[in-house]
Amino acid sequence: MKRTPSVILGLCSYTHDSSAALLVGGELIGFVEEERLSEQKHTKAYPARAVEWLLGQAQLTAADVDAVAYNFQPVRYLAESPAALRMALSPATRDRALARARGFAKVAVRTQRRTRLIARQFPAARVTPVLHHRAHQLTAFATSGWDEAAVLVVDSLGERQTTTIARAHDTLRPRTQTLEAINDPDSLGYLYGAVTEHLGWRRGDEEGTVMALAALGDPARFRPLFAQAVRTTATGFRINPAYFPTRTLTSGYPRTSRRLIAETCPERHPSEPLTEVHRDLAAALQERTEQVMVHLARRALVLTGSRRLCVGGGVATNCVSIGRIIEAGIFDEVFVPPAPGDAGTAIGAALAVHVDGRSPRPVVGVARTCYLGPSYEDQPLDLTPWPSLHQKNLGIETAEFLADQLAHGTIVGLFQGAVEAGPRALGNRSILASPLEPGVVERLNATVKFREPFRPFAPMVLAERAAEFFTLGQQAPYMSMASGVTDKAREHVPAIVHANGTSRLQTVTRAQNPFMHAVLTAFGRRTGVPVLINTSLNVKGKPICGTPEMALDCLANSGLDALLLEGRWIAR
């Protein structure tokens, strides 16, 4: 009888956002994105450092791995080739039909080759490709800790699927059943990336910048265009190829059409100034995205009857859309995992293999966890490579000391405990600042983060006092939801309110992050406001700092005033 796999390595590799997760007997040992260790943002390289750390944590070697779960199924790409050829029958898609068929076949072969490369590194393991959206679904649901939920996954592309609605159940042995799927070329993620690129930012990286810019524009200008470009249907939506030509998976084919350019604006070069037309285009894109996401959430309710919704996939990082779903009151509660994008599918792929192997052991260590990567506590620190930096050890009142520094206007990098999962800093690799300090947003953007001046900064707040400042009405532990704000927030902490009247907040409980809860409590005691600005410990174009060396480089090469690194206060 075939042995049930006990040591399962989940991988996201050879595409963007490489990562790895390790399950041993159903217990999640850890998860980390390769960029946090390699310093290469959105790296697609095999996650060698992540795998090495995970196996070291479990005191295992590559020979001990029973199964490797890969987050794509090669054969599923092949199914698109004949479908693509049928597009030749339509004048709207005819010119790309052959290139699309070839592109999907090429990716199928390439993905199969990648699974063979992985297999060579684990001699005793079987490599199991997992359907991409299933991996997303399992990550979103298992992380929620709920016993049942509707699951909505919206991304750019997973094999053929771009959007799925599923029913999920059993928190100890999580399972999902896809009830409805939308296939490419109808893709909300593809569309958002196309406009991001058109506006002069990096597709797959800077969609959040477009979301921020949208708050400064008027969506009415291009509202009719997007109503034609993205049509809602009874079961989802359709993308009009007259505006966004069919994807080919082959370079050299633009994602926007001449018609879109004629009716909006030419493609913007990153060095060109932003004008009103760029702001209005971003605003219309964001408005239509929100409308479609709310429409899909309503469809998920109809199909599942569940009162709870989990949302995954790259589009789930659009926090304003998530906020709109919550505001609509469709579900009693909405959950987004800390790593909703492709990196997080390493966890879901591993869970799929664990469940399919009929292991009697329940899943442990996945629900409501986000601090899953390496930590560097009690390690010696050598500042020789940074001669301008000096350190001193702090006593047991570290939280009080940090709160006092923040209350006096110091901007501090915080490096403590395990690396967070996902794209948001959640208090372990953060830059903290007082929202009460005049000009703090301008200073953070210009001299610390080196990014666009219109980019907002997210607040973190004591969970038990969140209702004083925010109207969301539920917990937001992973900074994945935009909330309306109260009059008290507008009066006392306007720095954390974006131009659209929202804030992407993180609620902090004592159980989730004891140290940050203590800092917020102490800051609130000093200022009357238990709210801090929290942004990721990095500068634009760099990944969140996963190692002490990365954090020290960030301090030395930015406008940070100081760095609190595992109880050491480091400053110039």
Side-chain angles (χ1 to χ4, degrees):
M1 181 179 291
K2 187 175 182 289
R3 184 165 64 94
T4 300
S6 177
V7 180
I8 303 171
L9 180 69
L11 291 181
C12 172
S13 181
Y14 304 120
T15 59
H16 58 89
D17 299 315
S18 289
S19 65
L22 185 65
L23 283 179
V24 178
E27 180 181 359
L28 182 62
I29 301 301
F31 161 85
V32 66
E33 292 156 76
E34 183 72 2
E35 67 169 30
R36 308 291 159 87
L37 307 177
S38 70
E39 301 186 49
Q40 301 300 311
K41 191 172 185 182
H42 298 306
T43 180
K44 58 177 66 175
Y46 171 77
R49 293 173 179 84
V51 171
E52 180 183 14
W53 173 74
L54 286 165
L55 293 176
Q57 285 291 101
Q59 298 183 324
L60 298 171
T61 68
D64 297 313
V65 176
D66 298 314
V68 178
Y70 188 57
N71 66 333
F72 287 98
Q73 286 186 340
V75 70
R76 298 283 183 143
Y77 286 99
L78 284 175
E80 185 57 36
S81 289
L85 290 174
R86 287 196 295 272
M87 291 182 176
L89 301 175
S90 169
T93 56
R94 181 178 298 154
D95 61 333
R96 295 194 176 196
L98 185 57
R100 179 176 171 88
R102 287 174 175 168
F104 273 81
K106 183 177 179 180
V107 170
V109 172
R110 184 189 306 155
T111 306
Q112 183 62 45
R113 189 184 307 128
R114 289 166 175 171
T115 62
R116 288 197 290 266
L117 286 173
I118 292 169
R120 292 173 192 166
Q121 304 192 52
F122 302 94
R126 177 179 178 180
V127 178
T128 302
V130 175
L131 188 66
H132 189 68
H133 269 233
R134 185 186 178 205
H136 271 307
Q137 291 165 1
L138 284 168
T139 301
F141 175 65
T143 309
S144 74
W146 294 335
D147 196 53
E148 67 83 28
V151 184
L152 170 64
V153 174
V154 188
D155 65 2
S156 180
L157 181 68
E159 295 98 10
R160 302 177 70 197
Q161 297 174 330
T162 68
T163 306
T164 53
I165 295 172
R167 179 188 292 112
H169 68 278
D170 195 348
T171 186
L172 298 180
R173 293 172 182 81
R175 290 172 171 81
T176 63
Q177 176 190 9
T178 298
L179 304 175
E180 207 161 70
I182 297 172
N183 288 342
D184 198 66
D186 298 312
S187 169
L188 207 55
Y190 178 85
L191 178 143
Y192 210 104
V195 178
T196 296
E197 197 169 58
H198 188 77
L199 287 172
W201 285 288
R202 291 186 301 274
R203 172 172 47 86
D205 181 31
E206 297 185 290
E207 281 83 353
T209 303
V210 175
M211 182 175 65
L213 179 66
L216 306 181
D218 180 4
R221 181 174 182 177
F222 297 117
R223 186 176 289 143
L225 183 152
F226 276 96
Q228 292 184 63
V230 191
R231 293 190 175 96
T232 55
T233 68
T235 58
F237 64 93
R238 299 295 302 273
I239 302 296
N240 187 344
Y243 290 99
F244 297 95
T246 305
R247 186 199 319 250
T248 64
L249 295 183
T250 304
S251 60
Y253 289 83
R255 294 187 171 213
T256 52
S257 69
R258 292 177 181 175
R259 178 174 175 179
L260 180 86
I261 293 169
E263 295 183 19
T264 58
C265 62
E267 185 174 341
R268 172 183 168 267
H269 189 274
S271 63
E272 294 176 0
L274 287 167
T275 65
E276 185 178 1
V277 69
H278 302 128
R279 291 188 287 270
D280 292 347
L281 182 59
L285 167 72
Q286 178 62 31
E287 179 185 74
R288 193 59 175 155
T289 300
E290 294 165 19
Q291 291 168 350
V292 174
M293 287 292 284
V294 170
H295 178 64
L296 291 170
R298 293 188 189 281
R299 181 65 180 164
L301 176 65
V302 169
L303 289 175
T304 67
S306 178
R307 297 304 310 170
R308 287 172 162 173
L309 175 70
C310 301
V311 190
V315 182
T317 60
N318 191 299
C319 63
V320 181
S321 291
I322 302 299
R324 292 286 182 254
I325 293 172
I326 295 170
E327 285 179 358
I330 305 166
F331 294 90
D332 294 339
E333 193 169 0
V334 176
F335 177 83
V336 178
D342 276 13
T345 59
I347 297 174
L351 290 171
V353 171
H354 176 77
V355 171
D356 292 348
R358 300 186 182 279
S359 171
R361 298 185 178 182
V363 169
V364 177
V366 178
R368 299 286 171 163
T369 56
C370 64
Y371 307 110
L372 295 169
S375 63
Y376 299 86
E377 299 171 59
D378 303 321
Q379 289 195 12
L381 190 64
D382 180 13
L383 291 182
T384 304
W386 302 274
S388 64
L389 303 182
H390 307 279
Q391 67 171 312
K392 69 176 180 179
N393 291 325
L394 301 179
I396 59 173
E397 298 297 327
T398 306
E400 293 287 341
F401 175 84
L402 177 56
D404 193 62
Q405 290 289 323
L406 293 167
H408 283 88
T410 307
I411 296 178
V412 182
L414 177 61
F415 185 108
Q416 61 145 358
V419 178
E420 297 96 332
R424 317 294 188 205
L426 301 170
N428 280 17
R429 301 291 186 274
S430 292
I431 293 173
L432 304 176
S434 167
L436 306 173
E437 191 70 14
V440 65
V441 170
E442 292 76 13
R443 183 184 167 196
L444 280 166
N445 274 325
T447 69
V448 179
K449 300 286 285 188
F450 305 115
R451 65 184 200 181
E452 296 84 0
F454 59 82
R455 296 278 296 275
F457 286 96
M460 61 194 325
V461 60
L462 287 175
E464 59 268 31
R465 295 188 60 185
E468 295 178 33
F469 302 91
F470 306 101
T471 62
L472 192 66
Q474 69 162 72
Q475 296 297 295
Y478 306 130
M479 202 185 285
S480 51
M481 303 159 179
S483 170
V485 299
T486 65
D487 290 341
K488 184 173 183 178
R490 291 188 188 91
E491 180 181 355
H492 295 284
V493 282
I496 56 89
V497 183
H498 193 32
N500 61 3
T502 70
S503 293
R504 188 188 68 204
L505 79 155
Q506 178 194 1
T507 54
V508 181
T509 65
R510 184 179 285 106
Q512 176 191 350
N513 194 320
F515 181 73
M516 277 314 311
H517 190 274
V519 172
L520 286 163
T521 300
F523 185 81
R525 191 186 315 119
R526 285 166 170 78
T527 65
V529 178
V531 179
L532 286 169
I533 288 174
N534 172 29
T535 187
S536 53
L537 183 58
N538 68 333
V539 297
K540 184 181 178 181
K542 296 286 187 179
I544 294 175
C545 297
T547 68
E549 293 76 18
M550 292 169 71
L552 290 165
D553 277 339
C554 186
L555 171 62
N557 296 296
S558 75
L560 276 176
D561 294 321
L563 173 69
L564 179 58
L565 193 157
E566 298 297 0
R568 305 175 182 93
W569 186 255
I570 303 170
R572 295 177 184 83

